[in-house]
Amino acid sequence: MKIYDVDISVPMFLGTAQYPSPAILHQAIRASDCEVVTVSLRRETADGTGAGFWDMLRATGAHILPNTAGCHSVQEAVTTAQMARELFATDWIKLEVIGHADNLQPDVFALVEAARILTTDGFKVFPYMTDDLIVGEKLLEAGCEVLMPWGAPIGSGQGLRTPDALRTMRAHFPDVPLIVDAGIGRPSDAIQAMELGMDAILLNTAVAKAGDPVGMARAMALAVEAGRAGFISDPIDRRDVAVPSTPVLGLAELM
């Protein structure tokens, strides 16, 4: 797929928080073959070890997608994005404006406003949003060229709570890159998202908190590959009745 004129061949973005160690994070990135990793400005500067962490991420060769995780207002998100651009030397930004403290659902009104400000300022915005068609249209009007609907609340591992809504988004926005962001918990969830026609998935907790993060990173990579292959192979429709796979012509007739 092509996002903001950048070709991405691996349909999986990987978050960089909550891993047992930087070494395991590095191994997970390698195991997944992912070409885009997300990182929070807060993670980079919180404990004074940001420089080493940044050097490790650059060593992977992946595109860096800073995010505005933890922001709850337009001004906070815009300021964080501007700081991230200076620190990471990129105009890519994953835009999060959280509206609900418990389920971390985005504030879609503030999201659209922040997206408009940032795109006007030259940012290439990846908006974390609900699976709502109208919100998607408003974000595209604001200048976004990609949409990132959630599958379920961040870190919940619930999988896709409303697959029909995602299927509808795919039909409504046939030419817009769609990336499922949040909620993926198992490889089967990743397969389902890709079989619905999503262009990629973004996940963090499912890999970082797995018993074997490196093994899970590889499993997720295989899952998105299988799901994508299944989608483009045009799977058969579901049926309510059995359909014999063996022809009935030529069977013996008992008199």
Side-chain angles (χ1 to χ4, degrees):
M1 62 177 170
K2 185 183 291 289
I3 299 181
Y4 291 114
D5 295 326
V6 174
D7 290 316
I8 305 294
S9 59
V10 178
M12 175 174 161
F13 296 9
L14 195 61
T16 58
Q18 306 183 72
Y19 286 82
S21 70
I24 291 178
L25 166 60
H26 188 272
Q27 293 172 36
I29 294 172
R30 292 296 191 191
S32 69
D33 290 326
C34 72
E35 299 170 292
V36 179
V37 296
T38 67
V39 59
S40 169
L41 180 67
R42 286 178 171 82
R43 168 65 179 84
E44 175 70 5
T45 58
D47 58 5
T49 61
F53 182 72
W54 177 214
D55 289 341
M56 183 275 291
L57 290 182
R58 282 189 293 191
T60 68
H63 295 282
I64 305 300
L65 177 59
N67 66 46
T68 61
C71 293
H72 291 261
S73 70
V74 172
Q75 186 58 55
E76 188 179 11
V78 169
T79 300
T80 300
Q82 292 169 340
M83 294 172 63
R85 179 165 60 183
E86 295 299 318
L87 180 61
F88 297 108
T90 179
D91 53 8
W92 281 19
I93 192 72
K94 180 193 168 190
L95 180 60
E96 298 181 26
V97 186
I98 301 303
H100 195 285
D102 292 331
N103 67 10
L104 302 182
Q105 179 171 327
D107 178 342
V108 296
F109 303 100
L111 178 68
V112 172
E113 182 180 350
R116 183 173 291 108
I117 294 171
L118 290 173
T119 56
T120 301
D121 193 27
F123 282 90
K124 296 177 173 63
V125 177
F126 294 67
Y128 165 60
M129 58 175 291
T130 55
D131 47 16
D132 186 287
L133 299 182
I134 305 304
V135 174
E137 290 177 346
K138 296 297 184 183
L139 287 167
L140 295 176
E141 291 172 2
C144 299
E145 296 182 16
V146 58
L147 300 175
M148 302 182 73
W150 69 347
I154 293 173
S156 68
Q158 295 178 11
L160 307 185
R161 295 204 303 183
T162 55
D164 286 342
L166 294 174
R167 185 182 292 108
T168 300
M169 286 196 72
R170 176 73 288 166
H172 192 73
F173 302 112
D175 301 319
V176 177
L178 298 180
I179 303 171
V180 170
D181 178 15
I184 299 293
R186 299 171 181 270
S188 55
D189 301 330
I191 290 176
Q192 183 185 18
M194 299 305 293
E195 286 183 339
L196 289 173
M198 300 296 105
D199 292 286
I201 63 170
L202 191 159
L203 69 165
N204 188 164
T205 307
V207 172
K209 290 297 187 180
D212 177 5
V214 179
M216 184 59 74
R218 184 58 184 156
M220 288 293 188
L222 293 171
V224 296
E225 182 180 350
R228 180 63 181 172
F231 173 73
I232 64 178
S233 298
D234 192 16
I236 64 172
D237 295 329
R238 294 181 183 272
R239 300 182 176 93
D240 294 328
V241 296
V243 178
S245 58
T246 303
V248 295
L249 293 176
L251 293 179
E253 295 185 14
L254 302 178
M255 305 301 290

Short mmCIF file of all heavy atoms in Angstrom, two decimals, residues 19 21 29 34 41 51 53 56-58 65 70 86 100-101 110 131 133 135 158 160 165 178 196 200 216 220 241:
data_model
loop_
_atom_site.label_atom_id
_atom_site.label_comp_id
_atom_site.label_asym_id
_atom_site.label_seq_id
_atom_site.Cartn_x
_atom_site.Cartn_y
_atom_site.Cartn_z
N TYR A 19 7.18 -3.20 26.60
CA TYR A 19 7.97 -4.41 26.39
C TYR A 19 8.86 -4.69 27.61
O TYR A 19 9.24 -3.76 28.33
CB TYR A 19 8.84 -4.27 25.14
CG TYR A 19 8.05 -4.38 23.86
CD1 TYR A 19 7.35 -3.30 23.37
CD2 TYR A 19 7.97 -5.59 23.17
CE1 TYR A 19 6.60 -3.39 22.21
CE2 TYR A 19 7.23 -5.69 22.00
CZ TYR A 19 6.55 -4.58 21.53
OH TYR A 19 5.80 -4.69 20.38
N SER A 21 11.94 -5.36 27.80
CA SER A 21 13.23 -4.71 27.69
C SER A 21 13.39 -4.15 26.28
O SER A 21 12.74 -4.62 25.34
CB SER A 21 14.37 -5.70 27.97
OG SER A 21 14.48 -6.64 26.91
N ILE A 29 10.47 -6.29 16.68
CA ILE A 29 10.40 -5.52 15.43
C ILE A 29 11.03 -6.32 14.29
O ILE A 29 10.47 -6.42 13.19
CB ILE A 29 11.10 -4.15 15.59
CG1 ILE A 29 10.34 -3.28 16.59
CG2 ILE A 29 11.20 -3.44 14.24
CD1 ILE A 29 11.04 -1.99 16.96
N CYS A 34 8.07 -5.55 10.37
CA CYS A 34 7.26 -4.34 10.17
C CYS A 34 8.15 -3.17 9.75
O CYS A 34 9.33 -3.10 10.11
CB CYS A 34 6.46 -3.99 11.43
SG CYS A 34 7.44 -3.36 12.80
N LEU A 41 5.81 10.51 22.47
CA LEU A 41 6.75 11.53 22.93
C LEU A 41 7.02 11.37 24.43
O LEU A 41 8.14 11.54 24.89
CB LEU A 41 6.19 12.92 22.65
CG LEU A 41 7.06 14.10 23.08
CD1 LEU A 41 8.32 14.16 22.25
CD2 LEU A 41 6.28 15.40 22.94
N ALA A 51 17.45 9.09 24.54
CA ALA A 51 18.42 9.08 23.45
C ALA A 51 18.76 7.66 23.03
O ALA A 51 18.81 7.34 21.85
CB ALA A 51 19.67 9.84 23.88
N PHE A 53 16.96 4.96 23.50
CA PHE A 53 15.77 4.34 22.92
C PHE A 53 15.60 4.79 21.47
O PHE A 53 15.32 3.99 20.57
CB PHE A 53 14.55 4.74 23.75
CG PHE A 53 13.25 4.14 23.28
CD1 PHE A 53 13.00 2.79 23.47
CD2 PHE A 53 12.29 4.92 22.67
CE1 PHE A 53 11.80 2.23 23.04
CE2 PHE A 53 11.09 4.37 22.24
CZ PHE A 53 10.85 3.03 22.43
N MET A 56 18.06 3.08 19.21
CA MET A 56 17.68 1.70 18.94
C MET A 56 16.61 1.62 17.86
O MET A 56 16.66 0.77 16.96
CB MET A 56 17.17 1.04 20.23
CG MET A 56 16.81 -0.44 20.10
SD MET A 56 15.13 -0.73 19.52
CE MET A 56 14.21 -0.16 20.95
N LEU A 57 15.62 2.53 17.92
CA LEU A 57 14.57 2.54 16.91
C LEU A 57 15.12 2.86 15.54
O LEU A 57 14.76 2.24 14.54
CB LEU A 57 13.47 3.54 17.29
CG LEU A 57 12.59 3.20 18.49
CD1 LEU A 57 11.53 4.27 18.68
CD2 LEU A 57 11.92 1.84 18.31
N ARG A 58 16.00 3.83 15.46
CA ARG A 58 16.60 4.18 14.18
C ARG A 58 17.38 3.02 13.59
O ARG A 58 17.43 2.83 12.38
CB ARG A 58 17.48 5.40 14.33
CG ARG A 58 16.71 6.70 14.40
CD ARG A 58 17.60 7.90 14.33
NE ARG A 58 18.46 8.01 15.51
CZ ARG A 58 19.20 9.08 15.80
NH1 ARG A 58 19.18 10.13 15.00
NH2 ARG A 58 19.94 9.11 16.88
N LEU A 65 6.56 6.59 13.52
CA LEU A 65 5.26 7.26 13.56
C LEU A 65 5.01 7.72 15.00
O LEU A 65 4.50 6.96 15.82
CB LEU A 65 4.15 6.29 13.10
CG LEU A 65 2.71 6.81 13.17
CD1 LEU A 65 2.55 8.07 12.31
CD2 LEU A 65 1.73 5.73 12.72
N GLY A 70 -2.31 9.91 25.19
CA GLY A 70 -2.55 10.56 26.47
C GLY A 70 -3.06 11.98 26.39
O GLY A 70 -3.36 12.59 27.42
N GLU A 86 9.80 17.96 15.96
CA GLU A 86 11.15 18.45 16.20
C GLU A 86 12.07 17.33 16.68
O GLU A 86 13.23 17.23 16.27
CB GLU A 86 11.12 19.58 17.24
CG GLU A 86 10.40 20.82 16.78
CD GLU A 86 11.05 21.44 15.56
OE1 GLU A 86 12.31 21.50 15.52
OE2 GLU A 86 10.32 21.85 14.63
N HIS A 100 -12.64 9.68 26.59
CA HIS A 100 -13.21 8.92 27.70
C HIS A 100 -12.08 8.25 28.46
O HIS A 100 -11.31 7.47 27.88
CB HIS A 100 -14.21 7.88 27.19
CG HIS A 100 -15.09 7.30 28.24
ND1 HIS A 100 -14.66 6.37 29.14
CD2 HIS A 100 -16.40 7.53 28.54
CE1 HIS A 100 -15.65 6.03 29.95
NE2 HIS A 100 -16.72 6.73 29.61
N ALA A 101 -11.99 8.53 29.75
CA ALA A 101 -10.86 8.07 30.54
C ALA A 101 -10.83 6.55 30.73
O ALA A 101 -9.76 5.97 30.90
CB ALA A 101 -10.87 8.75 31.91
N ALA A 110 -13.01 16.83 18.80
CA ALA A 110 -11.68 17.42 18.97
C ALA A 110 -10.70 16.83 17.97
O ALA A 110 -9.78 17.51 17.50
CB ALA A 110 -11.20 17.19 20.40
N ASP A 131 -15.29 3.72 14.43
CA ASP A 131 -15.67 3.17 13.12
C ASP A 131 -16.94 3.87 12.61
O ASP A 131 -17.96 3.22 12.38
CB ASP A 131 -15.85 1.66 13.20
CG ASP A 131 -16.71 1.22 14.39
OD1 ASP A 131 -17.41 2.08 14.97
OD2 ASP A 131 -16.67 0.04 14.73
N LEU A 133 -18.67 6.45 9.76
CA LEU A 133 -18.51 6.95 8.40
C LEU A 133 -18.43 8.47 8.34
O LEU A 133 -17.63 9.04 7.60
CB LEU A 133 -19.65 6.47 7.51
CG LEU A 133 -19.80 4.96 7.32
CD1 LEU A 133 -20.96 4.66 6.36
CD2 LEU A 133 -18.52 4.33 6.80
N VAL A 135 -17.52 10.60 10.70
CA VAL A 135 -16.23 11.05 11.24
C VAL A 135 -15.13 10.85 10.20
O VAL A 135 -14.28 11.71 10.00
CB VAL A 135 -15.90 10.30 12.54
CG1 VAL A 135 -14.49 10.68 13.02
CG2 VAL A 135 -16.92 10.62 13.62
N GLN A 158 -9.88 -7.39 22.85
CA GLN A 158 -11.20 -7.95 22.57
C GLN A 158 -11.40 -8.36 21.11
O GLN A 158 -12.40 -8.98 20.78
CB GLN A 158 -12.28 -6.93 22.95
CG GLN A 158 -12.35 -6.61 24.42
CD GLN A 158 -13.40 -5.56 24.74
OE1 GLN A 158 -14.23 -5.22 23.90
NE2 GLN A 158 -13.38 -5.05 25.95
N LEU A 160 -12.22 -7.64 17.11
CA LEU A 160 -13.09 -6.70 16.39
C LEU A 160 -14.50 -6.79 16.97
O LEU A 160 -15.23 -7.76 16.75
CB LEU A 160 -13.10 -7.03 14.90
CG LEU A 160 -11.74 -7.14 14.22
CD1 LEU A 160 -11.92 -7.35 12.72
CD2 LEU A 160 -10.88 -5.92 14.50
N ALA A 165 -19.31 -2.90 10.94
CA ALA A 165 -19.00 -1.48 10.76
C ALA A 165 -17.72 -1.30 9.97
O ALA A 165 -17.62 -0.41 9.11
CB ALA A 165 -18.90 -0.79 12.12
N LEU A 178 -7.08 2.01 5.13
CA LEU A 178 -7.74 1.80 6.42
C LEU A 178 -6.86 0.90 7.28
O LEU A 178 -6.49 -0.20 6.86
CB LEU A 178 -9.11 1.15 6.23
CG LEU A 178 -10.16 1.94 5.44
CD1 LEU A 178 -11.46 1.13 5.36
CD2 LEU A 178 -10.41 3.30 6.07
N LEU A 196 -11.43 -8.62 6.06
CA LEU A 196 -12.46 -7.61 5.82
C LEU A 196 -12.00 -6.57 4.80
O LEU A 196 -12.78 -5.72 4.39
CB LEU A 196 -12.83 -6.91 7.13
CG LEU A 196 -13.62 -7.73 8.15
CD1 LEU A 196 -13.76 -6.97 9.46
CD2 LEU A 196 -14.98 -8.10 7.61
N ALA A 200 -4.08 -2.59 6.80
CA ALA A 200 -3.04 -2.92 7.77
C ALA A 200 -3.68 -2.93 9.16
O ALA A 200 -4.84 -2.54 9.33
CB ALA A 200 -1.89 -1.92 7.72
N MET A 216 5.11 -13.84 19.38
CA MET A 216 3.82 -13.26 19.02
C MET A 216 3.95 -12.27 17.88
O MET A 216 3.08 -12.18 17.01
CB MET A 216 3.18 -12.59 20.24
CG MET A 216 1.77 -12.04 19.97
SD MET A 216 0.59 -13.33 19.44
CE MET A 216 0.33 -14.18 21.00
N MET A 220 1.77 -12.65 14.52
CA MET A 220 0.92 -11.58 13.99
C MET A 220 1.30 -11.25 12.54
O MET A 220 0.43 -10.99 11.70
CB MET A 220 1.02 -10.33 14.86
CG MET A 220 0.35 -10.46 16.22
SD MET A 220 -1.46 -10.60 16.07
CE MET A 220 -1.93 -10.48 17.81
N VAL A 241 -27.02 -23.48 3.73
CA VAL A 241 -27.21 -24.92 3.52
C VAL A 241 -25.92 -25.52 2.99
O VAL A 241 -25.03 -24.83 2.49
CB VAL A 241 -28.35 -25.20 2.50
CG1 VAL A 241 -29.68 -24.70 3.05
CG2 VAL A 241 -28.05 -24.55 1.16
#
